Amino acid sequence: MATAALQPRRTIFARPTATTGWYSWLTTVDHKKIGIMYGVTAFVFFLLGGLEALAIRAQLAVPDGEVLNADVYNQFFTMHGITMIFLVVMPMGVALFNYFVPLMIGARDVAFPRLNALSYWIFLFGGIFIYSSFFLGGAPDGGWFGYAPLNRDLPSHGMDFYAVGLQVLGVASLAGAVNFIVTILNMRAPGMTLMRMPVFVWMTLVVSFLLLFAMPVIAVALFQLMFDRLFDTTFFNVAAGGDPLLWQHLFWLFGHPEVYILILPAMGIVSEVLPTFSRKPIFGYAAVVFAGAAIGFMGWGVWAHHMFAAGLGPVANSAFALSTMFIAVPTGVKIFNWIGTLWGGSLRFPTAMKFSIGFIAMFIIGGLSGVTHAIVPHDAQQTDTYYVVAHFHYVLFGGALFGIMSGLYYWWPKIFGHRLSEKLGSLNFWLWFIGFNLTFGPMHIVGLQGMPRRVYTYPDGMGWNLWNMMETVGAFIIALATLVFLFNVAVSRRKGRNEAGSDPWDARTLEWATSSPPPEYNFAEIPIVEHRDDFWHKKYFVGPGRTAEPVFSGGAVDHADDEETEPHIHMPSPSYFPLIAAFGMLVSAYAVIFALPAVAIGLLITTLGFFGWVFEPGTAE
Amino acid sequence: MATNDTALTPPAHEEHHTSTGLDNTKMAMWAFLGSECLFFGSLISTYLLYRSRAGSGPTPGEIYDIPFTSVSSFVLLMSSLTMVLALAAIQRGDERGLRTWLLATAFLGMTFIGGQVYEFTTFYEEGLALSKSPFGSAFFMATGFHGAHVTVGILMLLALVGMSMAGRLTVDGARKVELIGLYWHFVDIVWIVIFTVVYLVPTE
Amino acid sequence: MKALSARGRRLLLGGLLGVFSILGAACGGDAGPQDFLSPEGPVAERADGLWDLTFAIAAIIFVIVEGVLVYTLVRFRRRAGRPAAQFHGNTKVEVVLTLIPTLILAGLAVPTVKAIADLAEEPQNALNVKVVARQFWWEYEYDNGLITANEMHVPTGQPVFLTLEGQDVIHSFWIPKLTGKQDVVPGRVNHMQFEADRPGEYWGQCTEYCGLSHANMRLRVIAHEPAEFDRWMEDQQEPAAASVSGRAAEGEEIFMQNCITCHAIQGTDAKGRSAPDLTHFASRGTFAGAMFENNTENLKAWIDNPEAVKPGALMPDYGLSSDEIDAVVAYLQSLE
């Protein structure tokens, strides 16, 4: 274990040394611990976002509902969107990137462990900051998309929390993106060429580049909104000559790559789970990888399909209709290749596999409804109705969340050393599947029957009552399914239950080549990689008849948990300066809204944090 | 890799092997600068949209003082030269030269900022404010954020000077200087784009 | 199907039956006043034609792909003595499966782009109406200078060409059965067109989130046979008749003291333009952004406390007594 620094200049700079207890979590720079913190925090926000959804559904269960008034409803639907996108799906992806990318590439940690910790603390503080708005004058109420000029006119502090809060979260994402790009490009084990990396790692790389280039665009838009609200600039002040469409262009230039940021991690997970439980490699690895990169690249050329009703004109609308249609092609490639992975396999269906297959089935629906949006004259009907709400919930819930659940069930034994109960997992899956389809399936119908989005109520006699009631029932089934998951987590922890060794699924990639959970240094010896799915190749070879035959040397597990042979590997020391720097940002965030001069205090704290970071002694060699 | 290798300053610690051969921190800086391109690109695009919306306030043609801004642009350009000289100094082990050229760079940067402050104050007195018109908002936002980036750069340059004086650049110092140099040159290039697009290209 | 157990077969059939009956219920018949799967005008019908084609293709793809998926899951379940086949891909299959979607999409692209171009052409011999959107109601101004609110009257069989202007935030004008929506963006001028085939009342609402009462910003388009439309237009252009009844006259006096800052009634001193023109208010079936039926009870509640019945409504509460409100309502109901 890392020791205290050789020559601390001042004791304030001595690196903390705790490895257990809560203080070790506050100062950790270990990607695995950070991954767990991201996951737990994101799950708590998932529960909050889910409660918001339940409230919305309770209000919309019947016409002229009286559960929430218009003001509260508008805050709830705004926060539901912000929560699920920025505080759940994105950080869940990051949680799994954090835990598994270093393991999958045979590295001991990410390139910049303290920067990694900084990203987490900024995320946590950013989320707390945004949610504190409920108690400080009202939560954001302009929709997650916050269109101008409404966004600058809304009177409560809500939209200030929106502008500042998303800015703070953006810093965390950007830092994380830089970290993962450098980690993946620079820290692969010897022999792991890019085309030998697991698909999940490739998707992390594509997502990181998307974040790198998309976050600055929304940062500019948010600065413009912030300055309009705080300093009376005129970016979106129509009377002074401002153009509301500027916001939309900037927002969606970010916003469309953002949806690929949301879905690609789940696609990566599915690309790992399917081969393991089909017992054969992914079908068309290169195509799956290139399709992911193509989706990332083409995703920059479709943004104005969110603006088909904004009046951009027939030429622009046609161009974006075409680009939107054609982005379905690489998406289709992935779907066909996943089915090709299943084809000819020997399929087992543990919960992880159920969720991955559920992903494919639901994503086909969401993808098809997405293509119908590209038919511009009909999108003029569909847009801003529940038909669109159905589409994006099929791809984000049926897609991203199902994929994340698949990853959780799959990787749980690696992280915690025990499996989650398969019986409860199956119940979790089916309840979630039924509840999900009952909630969002009818939204296609009620949207096509003319029910708009973002409405706190609707009148009787529109033909929408039955569908809305069904959707509400479905939402509560989803809630029940979530409770089953939590129950599963709780009961599976009991000692001795479902204990898992290093490779409980007989899987293919390097994370399974070390103990469950891995030691702090991940691998006693950095593996030398000779194939894609190198771990699988240590266990099997392809014999005549194109079937897998076991290799006699029997498993390639890294024997790192032998106490006697505990290797002397120096890992980066913990540090509390990332926490301090992040805290300074929280102070500045509140100051921007409530006491502008106090921003200097926040900046000072952050600067001190960075100074300590720079000057603290390095890890003892 | 070994772009930092010098005959007189052998690496005192084992260089970490990387898959691409490029140092981690250098790759990180390039990635970060890539995202900054989008950041400034969005600010400049906004300016392009709003430059002819001056409302009742002064227009670009009325308010810009091209000769003045040309001089401060030249100053900033020269600071890139001194930055290069600073890097060359540490690469040959000359820490005193390093500090001289770093301070020169910082000084030129501060002169540029001083010029910006003077220019902004003059514009304000002539009726162009952040809140005056979309042109005003977009102009001050783009140039203001650029100025903030230059200021952060100056602080980092001074920090490097301090580190050198404290003897913390004897090991691996050239890499750190190169890193800040990359940032500094980028900020300079952004200014060249801004100067051309915002000041030089006439607004009808 | 063979590979499924009897129970599995029953579950699958039951599930499919459930889903298809739901879909049948959805698609069959006219399902509501804003249902655009049953269009009633050529613009909406053009879009609907594209939808029929696209949906058919999507449904076929859905059945095939999901079918192959389910088949794969059943056929390749783990079975003793049948190990997984270790292949990495099949370039020919992958190329074909990339080309087919590309060709299908190209096939969809052509009629789509054509429709976009056609629908962007300004129609000949159209009735022009300027729509001004404000939180949370709609103002309509005809070429001849007539100004009304919320309920747009149009003749059948003639294209209507709308010019959309915004006054505060972005709204979106939408009449599902007649046409897709178009945003009303402050600072920009947008256009849209539609035509009603048959006389009738067509419902719509604002479809761009615009604040507290976005849900309550509704509208009606009322189509008449051309001759009847001309008669309506003539009646609307008459100024308000001088009121006769004592009660209405009392109401008129109260109205002129309180309401004329914002409202207009042609032929009187009321010339406010920031709220709906009320000249022929009693001829409307709804009010307050087509949110309420135009009857006594609703009018009283509205005038008494607009914000209480329509959150965020910009009409102030003038603190009128119940008696005063009754009088004003009587006046408004005299404005045929």
Side-chain angles (χ1 to χ4, degrees):
Chain A
M1 205 32 252
T3 54
L6 299 164
Q7 293 149 1
R9 291 181 172 266
R10 292 178 262 280
T11 52
I12 194 172
F13 287 136
R15 300 292 283 256
T17 52
T19 52
T20 54
W22 63 270
Y23 192 64
S24 75
W25 289 87
L26 291 182
T27 58
T28 186
V29 299
D30 178 352
H31 70 100
K32 299 184 288 299
K33 278 192 148 115
I34 292 173
I36 292 174
M37 289 198 287
Y38 261 111
V40 171
T41 309
F43 203 85
V44 170
F45 281 121
F46 176 64
L47 297 176
L48 290 176
L51 287 174
E52 284 149 4
L54 289 178
I56 289 170
R57 285 313 326 161
Q59 165 64 10
L60 294 177
V62 294
D64 298 313
E66 287 173 0
V67 173
L68 303 173
N69 66 25
D71 183 29
V72 174
Y73 182 90
N74 293 343
Q75 292 177 44
F76 270 37
F77 88 73
T78 303
M79 287 298 282
H80 170 75
I82 292 173
T83 302
M84 290 305 190
I85 292 170
F86 295 105
L87 302 177
V88 178
V89 177
M90 284 173 82
M92 270 293 184
V94 173
L96 295 171
F97 294 168
N98 249 297
Y99 204 102
F100 289 101
V101 165
L103 288 167
M104 284 176 145
I105 62 175
R108 298 200 185 285
D109 207 309
V110 295
F112 305 106
R114 285 175 297 178
L115 189 67
N116 203 12
L118 179 74
S119 286
Y120 171 72
W121 294 113
I122 294 178
F123 156 61
L124 176 70
F125 289 144
I128 291 174
F129 173 75
I130 292 181
Y131 263 87
S132 71
S133 62
F134 274 116
F135 307 108
L136 292 171
D141 55 349
W144 88 278
F145 52 96
Y147 275 6
L150 182 66
N151 60 8
R152 77 191 302 276
D153 292 344
L154 285 166
S156 80
H157 277 308
M159 293 311 281
D160 299 319
F161 277 94
Y162 170 84
V164 178
L166 291 187
Q167 201 77 273
V168 168
L169 292 174
V171 175
S173 292
L174 195 62
V178 170
N179 220 339
F180 283 109
I181 289 172
V182 178
T183 304
I184 292 170
L185 291 181
N186 256 3
M187 294 179 66
R188 286 165 280 138
M192 179 165 292
T193 60
L194 289 175
M195 294 305 274
R196 286 181 184 166
M197 297 197 308
V199 175
F200 181 72
V201 179
W202 266 111
M203 295 302 103
T204 307
L205 186 65
V206 175
V207 165
S208 299
F209 273 106
L210 289 175
L211 281 167
L212 191 72
F213 296 128
M215 298 309 306
V217 181
I218 195 179
V220 168
L222 291 171
F223 274 123
Q224 291 170 346
L225 173 62
M226 212 193 302
F227 279 40
D228 262 24
R229 288 181 67 92
L230 294 176
F231 307 126
D232 210 26
T233 50
T234 57
F235 290 103
F236 309 117
N237 180 340
V238 177
D243 188 345
L245 290 192
L246 173 67
W247 170 270
Q248 291 190 29
H249 282 296
L250 289 175
F251 184 83
W252 288 117
L253 269 165
F254 151 80
H256 199 83
E258 167 69 8
V259 314
Y260 296 117
I261 289 166
L262 294 171
I263 197 64
L264 287 176
M267 290 185 162
I269 293 170
V270 168
S271 304
E272 300 302 328
V273 170
L274 290 182
T276 298
F277 298 109
S278 308
R279 306 193 62 69
K280 51 192 284 286
I282 187 136
F283 182 91
Y285 169 88
V288 172
V289 165
F290 283 125
I295 289 171
F297 187 73
M298 289 167 77
W300 289 98
V302 300
W303 83 89
H305 69 215
H306 300 272
M307 298 166 66
F308 279 147
L312 296 179
V315 174
N317 284 351
S318 298
F320 282 99
L322 292 174
S323 61
T324 303
M325 283 182 204
F326 288 105
I327 205 167
V329 175
T331 314
V333 164
K334 290 176 96 98
I335 292 178
F336 300 140
N337 283 20
W338 287 324
I339 295 179
T341 306
L342 296 166
W343 187 276
S346 172
L347 308 179
R348 294 175 285 157
F349 299 105
T351 309
M353 182 67 151
K354 289 187 171 91
F355 272 111
S356 276
I357 293 169
F359 172 104
I360 300 173
M362 299 300 96
F363 194 81
I364 290 171
I365 297 174
L368 287 171
S369 64
V371 173
T372 66
H373 295 332
I375 313 299
V376 172
H378 204 259
D379 184 66
Q381 295 278 33
Q382 301 163 12
T383 190
D384 242 284
T385 67
Y386 265 81
Y387 183 79
V388 177
V389 180
H391 158 71
F392 68 70
H393 281 95
Y394 265 82
V395 290
L396 286 181
F397 193 134
L401 277 182
F402 270 53
I404 286 168
M405 288 301 280
S406 177
L408 289 180
Y409 272 92
Y410 181 56
W411 279 315
W412 200 271
K414 176 57 56 178
I415 302 171
F416 297 108
H418 62 263
R419 270 181 271 214
L420 288 169
S421 152
E422 278 303 321
K423 256 178 77 178
L424 286 172
S426 194
L427 180 64
N428 177 190
F429 171 75
W430 285 112
L431 274 178
W432 213 350
F433 184 83
I434 293 168
F436 165 75
N437 280 291
L438 191 60
T439 308
F440 300 105
M443 287 189 186
H444 292 100
I445 299 168
V446 84
L448 292 170
Q449 290 178 359
M451 181 172 174
R453 293 172 72 169
R454 303 159 180 161
V455 290
Y456 75 96
T457 189
Y458 57 93
D460 200 6
M462 303 301 288
W464 302 337
N465 300 2
L466 172 65
W467 308 118
N468 273 287
M469 179 54 78
M470 280 174 70
E471 293 161 15
T472 301
V473 171
F476 280 88
I477 296 178
I478 295 175
L480 181 62
T482 309
L483 289 176
V484 171
F485 175 73
L486 288 171
F487 184 64
N488 195 352
V489 168
V491 303
S492 301
R493 280 185 74 196
R494 275 194 303 212
K495 209 169 164 55
R497 267 184 150 242
N498 301 318
E499 233 170 80
S502 53
D503 183 21
W505 309 119
D506 194 17
R508 313 177 68 87
T509 42
L510 285 177
E511 74 271 26
W512 305 103
T514 184
S515 61
S516 298
E520 198 205 347
Y521 45 81
N522 295 346
F523 302 96
E525 266 177 47
I526 299 293
I528 312 272
V529 171
E530 288 162 353
H531 307 93
R532 190 182 304 152
D533 288 339
D534 194 68
F535 178 60
W536 185 89
H537 279 88
K538 299 256 180 353
K539 299 186 287 182
Y540 298 96
F541 66 97
V542 181
R546 283 217 307 186
T547 55
E549 312 288 343
V551 168
F552 284 116
S553 55
V557 179
D558 183 279
H559 292 286
D561 28 31
D562 300 345
E563 286 303 316
E564 309 86 44
T565 61
E566 175 95 354
H568 234 44
I569 299 172
H570 293 281
M571 293 299 293
S573 302
S575 169
Y576 53 82
F577 288 111
L579 179 60
I580 293 179
F583 181 72
M585 289 189 67
L586 180 65
V587 171
S588 293
Y590 280 112
V592 165
I593 299 179
F594 294 109
L596 200 52
V599 171
I601 300 177
L603 281 178
L604 182 67
I605 296 174
T606 300
T607 309
L608 288 175
F610 282 136
F611 264 95
W613 182 326
V614 167
F615 284 101
E616 71 182 340
T619 300
E621 285 296 333
Chain B
M1 81 153 252
T3 50
N4 300 340
D5 269 6
T6 72
L8 296 172
T9 317
H13 72 287
E14 184 192 314
E15 270 167 14
H16 290 288
H17 165 80
T18 61
S19 312
T20 61
L22 187 62
D23 170 74
N24 279 357
T25 51
K26 221 185 288 187
M27 185 184 283
M29 179 55 78
W30 279 109
F32 171 65
L33 295 180
S35 85
E36 291 269 76
C37 289
L38 271 291
F39 185 77
F40 282 106
S42 304
L43 288 170
I44 294 171
S45 300
T46 301
Y47 175 81
L48 287 172
L49 177 68
Y50 281 160
R51 61 184 176 165
S52 49
R53 303 191 195 194
S56 59
T59 65
E62 287 163 5
I63 202 148
Y64 290 153
D65 180 351
I66 302 299
F68 178 84
T69 317
S70 303
V71 169
S72 64
S73 302
F74 180 74
V75 165
L76 194 64
L77 223 63
M78 285 303 105
S79 75
S80 267
L81 172 63
T82 53
M83 185 71 228
V84 170
L85 294 171
L87 180 61
I90 189 163
Q91 282 178 336
R92 61 172 188 268
D94 175 8
E95 278 210 45
R96 207 159 160 272
L98 167 77
R99 287 195 291 271
T100 308
W101 291 118
L102 282 178
L103 282 170
T105 310
F107 175 72
L108 290 170
M110 285 188 261
T111 307
F112 173 82
I113 295 294
Q116 292 287 77
V117 171
Y118 173 76
E119 186 176 281
F120 288 4
T121 323
T122 312
F123 285 3
Y124 183 75
E125 281 159 9
E126 290 174 7
L128 185 71
L130 246 186
S131 53
K132 182 68 186 179
S133 60
F135 161 57
S137 301
F139 170 80
F140 282 112
M141 188 82 121
T143 52
F145 268 107
H146 176 264
H149 278 75
V150 173
T151 308
V152 169
I154 293 170
L155 292 173
M156 293 198 294
L157 290 168
L158 295 176
L160 277 179
V161 172
M163 285 167 78
S164 169
M165 286 176 6
R168 296 179 75 98
L169 286 186
T170 46
V171 169
D172 200 29
R175 176 184 65 88
K176 293 173 186 163
V177 173
E178 189 174 359
L179 225 49
I180 306 301
L182 269 175
Y183 175 84
W184 190 261
H185 295 311
F186 174 78
V187 168
D188 199 357
I189 292 173
V190 170
W191 180 255
I192 294 172
V193 176
I194 290 180
F195 182 55
T196 311
V197 169
V198 170
Y199 290 87
L200 291 182
V201 171
T203 307
E204 283 78 50
Chain C
M1 291 292 276
K2 227 187 303 176
L4 277 175
S5 65
R7 187 161 160 270
R9 276 200 289 272
R10 263 183 271 127
L11 271 175
L12 181 65
L13 282 171
L16 285 172
L17 197 65
V19 169
F20 282 116
S21 50
I22 288 177
L23 285 174
C27 300
D30 191 6
Q34 288 179 198
D35 171 31
F36 56 90
L37 291 176
S38 312
E40 304 254 4
V43 173
E45 278 153 12
R46 182 80 185 264
D48 189 58
L50 287 172
W51 163 259
D52 286 345
L53 172 66
T54 311
F55 181 72
I57 295 174
I60 293 170
I61 294 175
F62 170 80
V63 169
I64 294 176
V65 181
E66 298 274 12
V68 169
L69 176 65
V70 172
Y71 173 78
T72 312
L73 296 174
V74 170
R75 166 145 176 222
F76 295 104
R77 295 174 82 95
R78 177 174 58 150
R79 214 160 306 172
R82 209 269 310 269
Q86 300 297 314
F87 55 90
H88 286 82
N90 182 325
T91 313
K92 217 163 45 155
V93 167
E94 293 180 66
V95 168
V96 168
L97 288 179
T98 309
L99 278 178
I100 293 180
T102 312
L103 291 171
I104 294 176
L105 289 167
L108 278 175
V110 171
T112 302
V113 173
K114 180 130 202 336
I116 294 174
D118 288 346
L119 292 172
E121 266 176 45
E122 199 176 317
Q124 308 281 26
N125 304 316
L127 176 75
N128 294 312
V129 182
K130 184 170 85 163
V131 175
V132 179
R134 296 182 181 81
Q135 287 168 321
F136 298 100
W137 61 283
W138 307 92
E139 179 182 277
Y140 310 129
E141 189 177 329
Y142 293 79
D143 268 348
N144 57 16
L146 174 67
I147 297 177
T148 64
N150 301 318
E151 294 177 3
M152 186 191 291
H153 291 251
V154 300
T156 56
Q158 181 184 5
V160 179
F161 186 67
L162 299 181
T163 301
L164 306 170
E165 290 179 15
Q167 289 283 322
D168 40 33
V169 299
I170 300 181
H171 300 275
S172 198
F173 188 82
W174 190 36
I175 327 140
K177 283 187 172 297
L178 295 178
T179 179
K181 62 190 69 71
Q182 193 71 195
D183 288 351
V184 186
V185 182
R188 296 172 83 94
V189 176
N190 279 345
H191 295 286
M192 58 192 285
Q193 56 172 295
F194 68 90
E195 188 181 317
D197 286 338
R198 280 167 289 284
E201 216 178 83
Y202 302 97
W203 292 18
Q205 59 189 110
C206 173
T207 30
E208 185 59 63
Y209 178 64
C210 56
L212 277 172
S213 263
H214 166 62
N216 301 323
M217 186 169 165
R218 305 176 194 157
L219 62 111
R220 302 278 164 92
V221 168
I222 300 162
H224 308 267
E225 297 287 356
E228 208 197 299
F229 172 76
D230 291 337
R231 269 197 302 278
W232 173 86
M233 180 62 86
E234 268 175 48
D235 287 343
Q236 291 288 312
Q237 289 185 297
E238 296 290 316
S243 59
V244 285
S245 145
R247 205 70 177 114
E250 281 171 42
E252 182 181 10
E253 207 184 304
I254 299 167
F255 184 93
M256 294 301 163
Q257 281 164 2
N258 293 286
C259 316
I260 67 175
T261 339
C262 305
H263 287 285
I265 298 184
Q266 305 307 325
T268 70
D269 289 332
K271 297 197 189 310
R273 282 298 305 272
S274 54
D277 184 301
L278 300 177
T279 311
H280 296 282
F281 178 76
S283 68
R284 295 183 201 154
T286 60
F287 70 97
M291 183 181 174
F292 301 112
E293 293 266 320
N294 190 351
N295 59 39
T296 312
E297 190 191 330
N298 286 341
L299 279 171
K300 284 188 193 175
W302 169 253
I303 298 173
D304 183 42
N305 190 346
E307 233 265 325
V309 295
K310 185 172 183 179
L314 290 163
M315 174 161 141
D317 173 5
Y318 279 92
L320 298 177
S321 73
S322 173
D323 186 68
E324 288 171 312
I325 293 174
D326 284 350
V328 173
V329 169
Y331 173 58
L332 291 171
Q333 288 175 330
S334 77
L335 297 170
E336 288 292 340

